[in-house]
Amino acid sequence: MEPVLRDRLFNDVFVNQNIVTTRRKTTHVHYHNFYEIYYQLEGYTKHFLGDKIFVSKKDMLVFIPPYAHHSTDSESCSKCSRILIQFKTNYLPEEVKPLVGLLSDAKFIYIPPNSAQKIEEIAFRLKKEYEKNEEYSDYIIKFCLAEFIAVLCRLKCDFPPSQADSAEVIYNISSYIRKHYDSDLSLEFLSKKFFINKDYLSKKFRNVSGIGINQFITYVRIKNAEELLRNTTLSINEIAHSVGYKDSNYFSKVFKEINNISPHAFAKLRSSKEETV
């Protein structure tokens, strides 16, 4: 299944608390053109983000940049609660915009116990004001969001992906894929390397990650290709081979299916942005 572009942010900001009980809540792989903060209040949620698979628990926060491919799955969690904050960059005061980049680099933020109450208080204040929608609410929401982002920057630190013991082999395989994306990653090769049946591996990987193993490999390779297109002057052919594709035409086709833009156009777009800075 190709990732879906979700552009449902009709205004420049959206705040919502969602509590899920007695049912499994999942989202398919998608991306959008705005920022998203996923603040876990209770229970746990499994995330696929970019090229990582991890589990967020209470007082963990996920910061999702625009156009990052991601999905979520509450699995068998009996009660899952989170606050979702979505916003566009132009909504923030100018002096706060650089801070967003710091959080984008972190992506996963652990809230230490001595700061959890402060973060939760700001998040609920933001939610309450958004729901009020009264006169001057927009100003209060804007500055409250700025405060929330600034406090998060103080706490910014990556947390190690949490994982269930029964799924350890899948996390080991996903880690191997992230490190060896330029190598042979066929199902047959991986099943032999990790001493696991091919059919079981395919089924287990989807159950744990929420996406198929081949789809995950593709996202990892394309993500690394994007970095090379941004930061090097390598040719499309060289980049294709660097991320594990023998056929540059097939690489270009896959890249366009995921990003809705060709590698050449992607590189050109990045170059034109740099010239205007």
Side-chain angles (χ1 to χ4, degrees), residues 101-116:
L102 297 177
L103 296 180
S104 295
D105 292 339
K107 291 188 177 65
F108 323 119
I109 300 171
Y110 168 69
I111 310 298
N114 61 346
S115 300

Side-chain angles (χ1 to χ4, degrees), residues 25-58:
K25 182 175 176 64
T26 64
T27 61
H28 293 298
V29 178
H30 64 285
Y31 60 97
H32 30 65
N33 61 357
F34 46 83
Y35 289 93
E36 184 170 81
I37 298 175
Y38 194 108
Y39 180 27
Q40 194 82 36
L41 298 171
E42 189 174 358
Y44 67 88
T45 302
K46 182 176 65 185
H47 297 261
F48 160 67
L49 173 57
D51 64 349
K52 293 182 173 63
I53 302 165
F54 62 96
V55 176
S56 66
K57 298 180 180 179
K58 177 174 168 55

Side-chain angles (χ1 to χ4, degrees), residues 114-131:
N114 61 346
S115 300
Q117 184 175 348
K118 172 72 171 176
I119 292 293
E120 192 168 314
E121 183 270 324
I122 300 173
F124 275 102
R125 181 155 39 97
L126 185 59
K127 171 182 170 287
K128 184 177 180 181
E129 196 61 46
Y130 181 84
E131 291 171 347

Side-chain angles (χ1 to χ4, degrees), residues 87-264:
F87 63 93
K88 294 183 178 178
T89 312
N90 60 6
Y91 186 74
L92 297 172
E94 285 299 321
E95 58 272 24
V96 179
K97 290 179 182 178
L99 302 183
V100 174
L102 297 177
L103 296 180
S104 295
D105 292 339
K107 291 188 177 65
F108 323 119
I109 300 171
Y110 168 69
I111 310 298
N114 61 346
S115 300
Q117 184 175 348
K118 172 72 171 176
I119 292 293
E120 192 168 314
E121 183 270 324
I122 300 173
F124 275 102
R125 181 155 39 97
L126 185 59
K127 171 182 170 287
K128 184 177 180 181
E129 196 61 46
Y130 181 84
E131 291 171 347
K132 276 184 182 178
N133 194 27
E134 296 177 348
E135 189 177 9
Y136 305 116
S137 281
D138 191 55
Y139 292 96
I140 297 173
I141 293 168
K142 188 172 295 187
F143 291 114
C144 191
L145 178 58
E147 180 187 6
F148 190 72
I149 290 170
V151 173
L152 288 177
C153 284
R154 282 183 177 173
L155 305 173
K156 185 175 72 70
C157 61
D158 292 354
F159 62 83
S162 173
Q163 59 195 53
D165 292 339
S166 62
E168 184 176 358
V169 66
I170 300 303
Y171 286 93
N172 289 339
I173 291 172
S174 69
S175 178
Y176 180 87
I177 290 169
R178 291 199 304 273
K179 293 175 183 176
H180 301 89
Y181 55 84
D182 58 340
S183 307
D184 176 20
L185 294 175
S186 65
L187 195 60
E188 184 174 356
F189 170 81
L190 292 171
S191 64
K192 287 180 179 178
K193 181 169 183 62
F194 289 90
F195 306 101
I196 185 171
N197 176 272
K198 284 194 301 183
D199 293 335
Y200 177 78
L201 168 57
S202 182
K203 184 178 180 181
K204 184 72 173 176
F205 196 97
R206 182 175 289 279
N207 287 341
V208 171
S209 70
I211 64 172
I213 187 167
N214 288 328
Q215 190 179 15
F216 178 74
I217 292 168
T218 297
Y219 285 138
V220 172
R221 284 175 166 166
I222 296 303
K223 181 179 182 296
N224 281 278
E226 290 171 6
E227 290 300 311
L228 292 173
L229 287 165
R230 287 190 190 102
N231 303 312
T232 74
T233 56
L234 293 174
S235 69
I236 302 300
N237 188 56
E238 289 172 321
I239 289 174
H241 283 82
S242 296
V243 298
Y245 289 95
K246 295 178 181 178
D247 184 343
S248 61
N249 290 326
Y250 179 67
F251 160 72
S252 295
K253 178 185 176 184
V254 173
F255 190 98
K256 189 170 183 178
E257 284 176 353
I258 290 178
N259 289 312
N260 292 319
I261 188 173
S262 71
H264 178 74

Side-chain angles (χ1 to χ4, degrees), residues 267-277:
K268 194 173 179 181
L269 182 64
R270 291 291 165 183
S271 251
S272 64
K273 282 186 178 179
E274 288 174 2
E275 289 174 5
T276 58
V277 174

